[in-house]
Amino acid sequence: MNETVDLNAYISYVVIAAYYVIMLRLWLPPPPSERCEEAGDDKAAVPDGMSSGASGRQIAPPRPGDNGQPSPSSKTVQPDEPLERIRAADEHFDESAFLSGASQAYELVVNAYAKGDMLKLNGLLDTHVAAAFCDALGERREKGEVLTLSFVGIRRLDIADAWLDADLVKITVRFVSELVTATHASDNTVIAGDPTRVVAVTDLWTFARRVPSNNPNWMIVGTAGP
């Protein structure tokens, strides 16, 4: 009897594990270090900060410099050929699957930033984006501030732009999400946002991946407001 129970449990475990590998393999690289400075160092783009279009206050790090746009030598995908070049470079690319994964990544990053979870952030962000997030989290801790955030959902998402830069594919996704967010000072007074109001937030996030490559993971290389 014990052997039967153990076998059934093992089969259930394998099925569940396979499901999560299939659903999240595009977004979850090998577990990173919790130390901010040990995020990967082989990514190409310098990111922006993630801003809240509703309140005008950034809910993630300020822009560290570059805006994540293509270099002068890159090939921008024109509106009348939005994804054809990317499909030609990566025959396995599927727009619906990509957007589904992007929405999961967006929710994970927004919630992880609010909680100050750099372990989870490092696993999804380009090294420069992760460094900017880490600096912002450090500044928040120094000031004794607390960010509360409730993720209501994504109202709309679409591909805003896409381009090829040598062997690097970049896709910018426009997210319109609904959040309840507020920043509290060390004495618990609200200094930004409103903990009782749902606001619409528009963000433009850029994802990147090299092609061709055996690595299916996309990394977030830019996060900015509209």
Side-chain angles (χ1 to χ4, degrees), residues 140-214:
R140 186 203 298 171
R141 285 192 298 270
E142 289 178 3
K143 293 180 178 179
E145 296 177 350
V146 175
L147 175 64
T148 60
L149 182 145
S150 295
F151 184 86
V152 179
I154 295 177
R155 180 189 299 176
R156 171 191 169 193
L157 77 161
D158 57 64
I159 293 177
D161 200 2
W163 61 91
L164 298 176
D165 192 353
D167 64 340
L168 187 67
V169 172
K170 297 180 183 178
I171 301 177
T172 297
V173 178
R174 181 187 295 107
F175 298 90
V176 180
S177 62
E178 293 183 335
L179 306 172
V180 179
T181 179
T183 301
H184 301 257
S186 56
D187 61 359
N188 205 37
T189 58
V190 176
I191 59 176
D194 186 340
T196 65
R197 185 168 64 96
V198 176
V199 294
V201 177
T202 299
D203 288 302
L204 295 171
W205 286 21
T206 300
F207 298 82
R209 176 177 176 267
R210 296 200 178 275
V211 292
S213 173
N214 292 327

Side-chain angles (χ1 to χ4, degrees), residues 40-51:
D41 58 1
D42 60 347
K43 307 302 184 297
V46 178
D48 291 327
M50 181 176 69
S51 63

Side-chain angles (χ1 to χ4, degrees), residues 6 20-21 48 58 124 137 174 189 202:
D6 290 344
Y20 281 104
V21 168
D48 291 327
Q58 291 189 327
L124 295 166
L137 291 177
R174 181 187 295 107
T189 58
T202 299

Side-chain angles (χ1 to χ4, degrees), residues 91-138:
E91 61 181 4
H92 300 296
F93 176 76
D94 178 86
E95 181 178 347
S96 296
F98 171 80
L99 288 175
S100 176
S103 67
Q104 294 176 51
Y106 181 89
E107 182 176 355
L108 282 171
V109 170
V110 169
N111 284 320
Y113 176 74
K115 297 174 182 176
D117 187 350
M118 275 308 304
L119 179 64
K120 192 167 292 184
L121 289 172
N122 279 342
L124 295 166
L125 306 178
D126 166 88
T127 179
H128 298 94
V129 183
F133 274 51
C134 183
D135 290 344
L137 291 177

